[in-house]
mmCIF file of all heavy atoms in Angstrom:
data_model
loop_
_atom_site.group_PDB
_atom_site.id
_atom_site.type_symbol
_atom_site.label_atom_id
_atom_site.label_comp_id
_atom_site.label_asym_id
_atom_site.label_seq_id
_atom_site.Cartn_x
_atom_site.Cartn_y
_atom_site.Cartn_z
ATOM 1 N N ASP Y 22 161.748 193.629 -0.377
ATOM 2 C CA ASP Y 22 162.552 192.409 -0.322
ATOM 3 C C ASP Y 22 162.002 191.438 0.650
ATOM 4 O O ASP Y 22 161.981 190.221 0.381
ATOM 5 C CB ASP Y 22 163.986 192.750 0.101
ATOM 6 C CG ASP Y 22 164.718 193.441 -0.992
ATOM 7 O OD1 ASP Y 22 164.305 193.441 -2.080
ATOM 8 O OD2 ASP Y 22 165.832 194.129 -0.617
ATOM 9 N N LYS Y 23 161.348 191.882 1.727
ATOM 10 C CA LYS Y 23 160.698 190.969 2.753
ATOM 11 C C LYS Y 23 159.474 190.308 2.050
ATOM 12 O O LYS Y 23 159.237 189.039 2.327
ATOM 13 C CB LYS Y 23 160.303 191.748 3.983
ATOM 14 C CG LYS Y 23 161.419 192.223 4.876
ATOM 15 C CD LYS Y 23 160.954 193.177 5.960
ATOM 16 C CE LYS Y 23 161.928 193.680 6.819
ATOM 17 N NZ LYS Y 23 162.992 194.600 6.186
ATOM 18 N N ILE Y 24 158.754 191.007 1.242
ATOM 19 C CA ILE Y 24 157.528 190.487 0.584
ATOM 20 C C ILE Y 24 158.030 189.397 -0.404
ATOM 21 O O ILE Y 24 157.445 188.397 -0.550
ATOM 22 C CB ILE Y 24 156.686 191.551 -0.002
ATOM 23 C CG1 ILE Y 24 156.053 192.356 1.136
ATOM 24 C CG2 ILE Y 24 155.677 190.995 -0.962
ATOM 25 C CD1 ILE Y 24 155.377 193.674 0.645
ATOM 26 N N ILE Y 25 158.918 189.827 -1.289
ATOM 27 C CA ILE Y 25 159.525 188.984 -2.355
ATOM 28 C C ILE Y 25 159.992 187.638 -1.655
ATOM 29 O O ILE Y 25 159.749 186.520 -2.252
ATOM 30 C CB ILE Y 25 160.544 189.513 -3.187
ATOM 31 C CG1 ILE Y 25 159.772 190.710 -4.099
ATOM 32 C CG2 ILE Y 25 161.209 188.574 -4.019
ATOM 33 C CD1 ILE Y 25 160.679 191.579 -4.893
ATOM 34 N N LYS Y 26 160.717 187.788 -0.475
ATOM 35 C CA LYS Y 26 161.154 186.573 0.114
ATOM 36 C C LYS Y 26 159.994 185.630 0.459
ATOM 37 O O LYS Y 26 160.086 184.385 0.316
ATOM 38 C CB LYS Y 26 161.948 186.903 1.368
ATOM 39 C CG LYS Y 26 162.470 185.730 2.187
ATOM 40 C CD LYS Y 26 163.102 186.211 3.453
ATOM 41 C CE LYS Y 26 163.622 185.029 4.278
ATOM 42 N NZ LYS Y 26 164.111 185.374 5.505
ATOM 43 N N GLU Y 27 158.901 186.100 0.772
ATOM 44 C CA GLU Y 27 157.692 185.375 1.203
ATOM 45 C C GLU Y 27 156.904 184.731 -0.069
ATOM 46 O O GLU Y 27 156.456 183.564 0.051
ATOM 47 C CB GLU Y 27 156.782 186.119 1.998
ATOM 48 C CG GLU Y 27 157.276 186.560 3.432
ATOM 49 C CD GLU Y 27 157.438 185.474 4.362
ATOM 50 O OE1 GLU Y 27 156.772 184.350 4.251
ATOM 51 O OE2 GLU Y 27 158.306 185.539 5.276
ATOM 52 N N ILE Y 28 156.791 185.586 -1.101
ATOM 53 C CA ILE Y 28 155.865 185.145 -2.166
ATOM 54 C C ILE Y 28 156.755 184.755 -3.399
ATOM 55 O O ILE Y 28 156.155 184.307 -4.396
ATOM 56 C CB ILE Y 28 154.941 186.226 -2.450
ATOM 57 C CG1 ILE Y 28 155.572 187.449 -2.992
ATOM 58 C CG2 ILE Y 28 154.069 186.540 -1.271
ATOM 59 C CD1 ILE Y 28 154.755 188.493 -3.757
ATOM 60 N N GLY Y 29 158.035 185.062 -3.477
ATOM 61 C CA GLY Y 29 158.823 184.762 -4.659
ATOM 62 C C GLY Y 29 158.611 183.578 -5.348
ATOM 63 O O GLY Y 29 158.307 183.472 -6.547
ATOM 64 N N PRO Y 30 158.648 182.389 -4.716
ATOM 65 C CA PRO Y 30 158.462 181.113 -5.360
ATOM 66 C C PRO Y 30 157.105 180.983 -6.122
ATOM 67 O O PRO Y 30 157.060 180.387 -7.151
ATOM 68 C CB PRO Y 30 158.648 180.022 -4.257
ATOM 69 C CG PRO Y 30 159.468 180.684 -3.166
ATOM 70 C CD PRO Y 30 159.051 182.172 -3.337
ATOM 71 N N SER Y 31 156.109 181.528 -5.475
ATOM 72 C CA SER Y 31 154.879 181.540 -6.163
ATOM 73 C C SER Y 31 154.733 182.423 -7.315
ATOM 74 O O SER Y 31 154.070 181.998 -8.338
ATOM 75 C CB SER Y 31 153.690 181.861 -5.157
ATOM 76 O OG SER Y 31 153.528 180.843 -4.096
ATOM 77 N N VAL Y 32 155.207 183.584 -7.159
ATOM 78 C CA VAL Y 32 155.188 184.583 -8.244
ATOM 79 C C VAL Y 32 155.997 184.034 -9.519
ATOM 80 O O VAL Y 32 155.546 184.266 -10.591
ATOM 81 C CB VAL Y 32 155.715 185.896 -7.765
ATOM 82 C CG1 VAL Y 32 155.970 186.887 -8.941
ATOM 83 C CG2 VAL Y 32 154.895 186.605 -6.789
ATOM 84 N N ARG Y 33 157.066 183.379 -9.324
ATOM 85 C CA ARG Y 33 157.820 182.866 -10.449
ATOM 86 C C ARG Y 33 157.086 181.976 -11.383
ATOM 87 O O ARG Y 33 157.489 181.675 -12.492
ATOM 88 C CB ARG Y 33 159.095 182.240 -9.856
ATOM 89 C CG ARG Y 33 160.147 183.215 -9.419
ATOM 90 C CD ARG Y 33 161.392 182.572 -9.164
ATOM 91 N NE ARG Y 33 161.568 181.973 -7.920
ATOM 92 C CZ ARG Y 33 161.893 182.640 -6.791
ATOM 93 N NH1 ARG Y 33 161.934 183.954 -6.675
ATOM 94 N NH2 ARG Y 33 161.968 182.043 -5.667
ATOM 95 N N GLN Y 34 156.033 181.360 -10.852
ATOM 96 C CA GLN Y 34 155.227 180.432 -11.769
ATOM 97 C C GLN Y 34 154.289 181.154 -12.618
ATOM 98 O O GLN Y 34 153.758 180.495 -13.565
ATOM 99 C CB GLN Y 34 154.510 179.407 -10.861
ATOM 100 C CG GLN Y 34 153.342 180.046 -10.048
ATOM 101 C CD GLN Y 34 152.675 178.936 -9.148
ATOM 102 O OE1 GLN Y 34 152.507 177.783 -9.606
ATOM 103 N NE2 GLN Y 34 152.190 179.470 -8.082
ATOM 104 N N TYR Y 35 154.193 182.455 -12.551
ATOM 105 C CA TYR Y 35 153.252 183.139 -13.448
ATOM 106 C C TYR Y 35 154.022 183.982 -14.436
ATOM 107 O O TYR Y 35 154.895 184.776 -14.144
ATOM 108 C CB TYR Y 35 152.434 184.081 -12.502
ATOM 109 C CG TYR Y 35 151.502 183.384 -11.529
ATOM 110 C CD1 TYR Y 35 151.884 183.294 -10.240
ATOM 111 C CD2 TYR Y 35 150.352 182.768 -11.982
ATOM 112 C CE1 TYR Y 35 151.071 182.554 -9.421
ATOM 113 C CE2 TYR Y 35 149.517 182.141 -11.208
ATOM 114 C CZ TYR Y 35 149.903 181.946 -9.816
ATOM 115 O OH TYR Y 35 149.178 181.240 -8.913
ATOM 116 N N ARG Y 36 153.544 183.838 -15.740
ATOM 117 C CA ARG Y 36 154.164 184.695 -16.779
ATOM 118 C C ARG Y 36 153.339 186.026 -16.771
ATOM 119 O O ARG Y 36 154.038 187.019 -16.981
ATOM 120 C CB ARG Y 36 153.917 183.963 -18.107
ATOM 121 C CG ARG Y 36 154.737 184.620 -19.301
ATOM 122 C CD ARG Y 36 154.598 183.811 -20.579
ATOM 123 N NE ARG Y 36 153.295 183.792 -21.120
ATOM 124 C CZ ARG Y 36 152.708 184.703 -21.800
ATOM 125 N NH1 ARG Y 36 153.356 185.933 -21.941
ATOM 126 N NH2 ARG Y 36 151.513 184.734 -22.259
ATOM 127 N N VAL Y 37 152.105 185.964 -16.572
ATOM 128 C CA VAL Y 37 151.277 187.200 -16.559
ATOM 129 C C VAL Y 37 150.365 187.018 -15.367
ATOM 130 O O VAL Y 37 149.834 186.014 -15.115
ATOM 131 C CB VAL Y 37 150.440 187.410 -17.858
ATOM 132 C CG1 VAL Y 37 149.537 188.568 -17.741
ATOM 133 C CG2 VAL Y 37 151.279 187.602 -19.078
ATOM 134 N N GLY Y 38 150.124 188.154 -14.623
ATOM 135 C CA GLY Y 38 149.222 188.104 -13.493
ATOM 136 C C GLY Y 38 149.169 189.350 -12.708
ATOM 137 O O GLY Y 38 149.682 190.383 -13.145
ATOM 138 N N LEU Y 39 148.528 189.287 -11.582
ATOM 139 C CA LEU Y 39 148.397 190.471 -10.662
ATOM 140 C C LEU Y 39 148.767 189.937 -9.231
ATOM 141 O O LEU Y 39 148.261 188.837 -8.914
ATOM 142 C CB LEU Y 39 146.950 191.036 -10.634
ATOM 143 C CG LEU Y 39 146.538 191.642 -11.960
ATOM 144 C CD1 LEU Y 39 145.103 192.150 -11.870
ATOM 145 C CD2 LEU Y 39 147.412 192.991 -12.218
ATOM 146 N N ALA Y 40 149.463 190.719 -8.538
ATOM 147 C CA ALA Y 40 149.742 190.345 -7.148
ATOM 148 C C ALA Y 40 149.058 191.440 -6.335
ATOM 149 O O ALA Y 40 149.334 192.588 -6.528
ATOM 150 C CB ALA Y 40 151.255 190.417 -6.811
ATOM 151 N N HIS Y 41 148.142 191.030 -5.446
ATOM 152 C CA HIS Y 41 147.379 191.978 -4.639
ATOM 153 C C HIS Y 41 147.774 191.819 -3.145
ATOM 154 O O HIS Y 41 147.899 190.717 -2.730
ATOM 155 C CB HIS Y 41 145.857 191.651 -4.733
ATOM 156 C CG HIS Y 41 145.081 192.718 -3.974
ATOM 157 N ND1 HIS Y 41 144.778 193.917 -4.504
ATOM 158 C CD2 HIS Y 41 144.354 192.641 -2.848
ATOM 159 C CE1 HIS Y 41 144.146 194.612 -3.597
ATOM 160 N NE2 HIS Y 41 143.928 193.788 -2.495
ATOM 161 N N PHE Y 42 148.146 192.989 -2.627
ATOM 162 C CA PHE Y 42 148.715 192.841 -1.201
ATOM 163 C C PHE Y 42 147.736 193.603 -0.341
ATOM 164 O O PHE Y 42 147.239 194.775 -0.729
ATOM 165 C CB PHE Y 42 150.058 193.638 -1.111
ATOM 166 C CG PHE Y 42 151.031 192.912 -2.005
ATOM 167 C CD1 PHE Y 42 151.284 193.450 -3.293
ATOM 168 C CD2 PHE Y 42 151.676 191.753 -1.668
ATOM 169 C CE1 PHE Y 42 152.186 192.799 -4.128
ATOM 170 C CE2 PHE Y 42 152.666 191.164 -2.432
ATOM 171 C CZ PHE Y 42 152.894 191.678 -3.711
ATOM 172 N N PHE Y 43 147.404 193.115 0.849
ATOM 173 C CA PHE Y 43 146.381 193.602 1.729
ATOM 174 C C PHE Y 43 147.142 193.589 3.148
ATOM 175 O O PHE Y 43 147.535 192.472 3.635
ATOM 176 C CB PHE Y 43 145.161 192.879 1.792
ATOM 177 C CG PHE Y 43 144.153 193.410 2.762
ATOM 178 C CD1 PHE Y 43 143.538 194.653 2.606
ATOM 179 C CD2 PHE Y 43 143.868 192.721 3.968
ATOM 180 C CE1 PHE Y 43 142.700 195.180 3.618
ATOM 181 C CE2 PHE Y 43 143.017 193.168 4.858
ATOM 182 C CZ PHE Y 43 142.404 194.460 4.725
ATOM 183 N N LEU Y 44 147.224 194.755 3.781
ATOM 184 C CA LEU Y 44 147.898 194.913 5.069
ATOM 185 C C LEU Y 44 146.716 194.924 6.168
ATOM 186 O O LEU Y 44 145.908 195.786 6.146
ATOM 187 C CB LEU Y 44 148.654 196.139 5.149
ATOM 188 C CG LEU Y 44 149.471 196.552 6.354
ATOM 189 C CD1 LEU Y 44 150.489 195.383 6.547
ATOM 190 C CD2 LEU Y 44 150.172 197.828 6.309
ATOM 191 N N GLN Y 45 146.716 193.848 6.971
ATOM 192 C CA GLN Y 45 145.665 193.736 8.156
ATOM 193 C C GLN Y 45 146.166 194.616 9.313
ATOM 194 O O GLN Y 45 146.411 194.125 10.344
ATOM 195 C CB GLN Y 45 145.475 192.352 8.467
ATOM 196 C CG GLN Y 45 144.897 191.491 7.271
ATOM 197 C CD GLN Y 45 144.847 190.098 7.701
ATOM 198 O OE1 GLN Y 45 145.657 189.484 8.160
ATOM 199 N NE2 GLN Y 45 143.630 189.409 7.342
ATOM 200 N N HIS Y 46 146.238 195.901 9.114
ATOM 201 C CA HIS Y 46 146.591 196.753 10.243
ATOM 202 C C HIS Y 46 145.952 198.138 10.031
ATOM 203 O O HIS Y 46 145.785 198.577 8.948
ATOM 204 C CB HIS Y 46 148.128 196.984 10.210
ATOM 205 C CG HIS Y 46 148.800 197.361 11.469
ATOM 206 N ND1 HIS Y 46 148.506 198.609 12.035
ATOM 207 C CD2 HIS Y 46 149.521 196.749 12.450
ATOM 208 C CE1 HIS Y 46 149.214 198.693 13.211
ATOM 209 N NE2 HIS Y 46 149.776 197.636 13.465
#
Side-chain angles (χ1 to χ4, degrees):
D22 290 342
K23 292 173 179 66
I24 292 171
I25 290 173
K26 181 181 175 187
E27 295 290 336
I28 67 164
S31 293
V32 170
R33 284 191 277 282
Q34 70 182 325
Y35 296 101
R36 192 174 67 77
V37 175
L39 293 173
H41 185 75
F42 302 98
F43 176 70
L44 184 62
Q45 295 176 315
H46 201 292

